[in-house]
Amino acid sequence: MDDQARAYGLNISARNWSSFVAFVVVAIVCFTYSSTIRLLITAWQETDGYSHGFFLAPISLLLVIRVARGFRPDAHWMPWWIMLLAVFSGVTWLLGSASATQSVQMVSLLLLIYCALLSVYGPSRWQEFVAPVGLLGFSIPIFGFIVPQLKVVTVFIISVWLRWTGRSAYIDGDFVFVRAGTFEIAAGCAGVHYLVVSLTIGFLYSYLNIKAIGVRVIFMGVAAALALVANWVRVFIIITVGDITEMQHYLVTVDHYYFGWFVYTLFLIPLPFIATYLQRVVPCHAFLEALESCLSRWGRSSGDRQRRVAMASSLLLISFVVFPALFAEAVFGRENTRPAYLIDLPETLGGWHRSKLPSGRAAIAPHFVGAESEVTHQYDQDEQRILLYLNHYTKQVQGAELVGYENEWYANEWRVEARSRLVFDVGNVTYRFELEQVRFMSSRYLVAHAYSVGNKIIDKPWLAKVYGGINRLAGKPIGGAVAVMSLCGHDCIQSETNIRNFLLTATGTVVRVISDS
């Protein structure tokens, strides 16, 4: 019986035992967080540009096994930073689950799996497991937020290149007008797919072939830059060819998808040579070694008591990892027992009286997927008239979210022309609404909208999502959305006055109706 086996009091190889325990612990984590794993697999299937997750998952698993086979477990108690990471990841996963934020759940799950592996192999192995687990991060659809910025950069670069080549072009937003026709720099032209693939390849290649952490970071940056340049070259060639051939070339009339990947592949060829060059010219600093020494120095002692403390700290860490999923199951399971809720507004709100909606008249028509209840009412006061829309969500799940990608305040035919904020006080409470001037056909409207969550009016979607998640964790209904619309005359000054007067008298009632369900 070797020393490591003796450290755990076992008559088997410590390496084999640790592998078995690691398998059991990771299996428990995957089982308790199976809902998040299903979301991740669904994202690989349905989200454009992330199907490579099906390849990264087995590669990540093989890398974890490769690392685990080279080490035996440590009989060291868990340092504070690992415990703190587990607690932080668990709380973040809970908030992500409560607010139905998929990317937050997925990233938190990776951190929890990382903590679970450290609970078996010890804190001194923190560096070795970062890359195998972190590789899966490139399969999480979290890069969509940079698409608008990448589109702006792409349009700017293409406009510069067109001027350099003497080709006349006019740029208007995302559209490039050339002599032969018009090209739109759509989301697919932003290059985010190439960027994600390059970051993934750069991360994996540098982990397997480069030891210096500084060189790894620089190499990934070079790989990302090559991906962006490849996309700019692709877009520039397509526009130029289309202009030269009067929009009749195959790349314009049929397809340019595979052409883009061909151009991108050409830019990948020099990456190994760049890696070799960087390792020769970039000095290797001792920063990572110092960091490793700092983070893993805790608990380096021996003795039976220390071994018992080490085992207890590992079990405590595992409990930190699995507790959030068990807590969420207990809290969220009660949501299905709540009765259905219907919004019931009074006939009179302050001096405003509810009237029948006339048929054939354009009315505000927000689209909120999965709302449990929603109503649209018309209220009149003297000659003034407004339209009020309310909805309500008791719970927050995928496909039924108060703040979600598929929700829209306006239908496609509506066009937003101007934005501002409407702020007013009722007693000691300050309310903030998003105020937008919109056009529908030949008419202009002023619309004030916000979210009512936990007796609060919130105009920022991300903040409404956070408060909604906190409400859900507390076992309370999520809340709902509020929109008030008024038809503009020759200007929208009177409409803003109408909306302000209505909200001054009705907001408190609206909040109570949505929140007291």
Side-chain angles (χ1 to χ4, degrees), residues 161-179:
W161 288 1
L162 288 173
R163 287 198 301 269
W164 282 354
T165 57
R167 196 162 298 279
S168 60
Y170 171 71
I171 310 297
D172 183 16
D174 297 335
F175 292 90
V176 179
F177 299 88
V178 294
R179 180 182 54 82

Side-chain angles (χ1 to χ4, degrees), residues 112-167:
L112 291 170
I113 291 175
Y114 175 72
C115 292
L117 290 171
L118 294 185
S119 72
V120 177
Y121 290 98
S124 63
R125 311 306 183 196
W126 71 270
Q127 179 185 341
E128 284 78 9
F129 286 108
V130 168
V133 177
L135 179 65
L136 270 181
F138 296 102
S139 69
I140 298 176
I142 57 176
F143 297 92
F145 74 96
I146 63 174
V147 169
Q149 290 76 19
L150 290 180
K151 286 173 60 177
V152 171
V153 174
T154 301
V155 171
F156 173 76
I157 294 295
I158 296 305
S159 64
V160 171
W161 288 1
L162 288 173
R163 287 198 301 269
W164 282 354
T165 57
R167 196 162 298 279

Side-chain angles (χ1 to χ4, degrees), residues 466-487:
V466 171
Y467 274 104
I470 294 173
N471 262 20
R472 193 181 180 203
L473 287 175
K476 301 177 182 178
I478 301 301
V482 184
V484 180
M485 183 182 78
S486 177
L487 178 65

Side-chain angles (χ1 to χ4, degrees), residues 15 51 59 85 98 126 153 163 165 168 170 191 211 213 236 282 302 310 323 328 351 361 378 402 447 452 466 490 493:
R15 183 176 297 172
S51 58
I59 293 174
L85 177 62
W126 71 270
V153 174
R163 287 198 301 269
T165 57
S168 60
Y170 171 71
K211 293 184 179 180
I213 187 66
F236 176 74
V282 178
S302 58
F323 173 76
R361 182 175 180 271
Q378 178 175 284
L402 175 60
V447 180
S452 175
V466 171
H490 67 279
I493 297 177

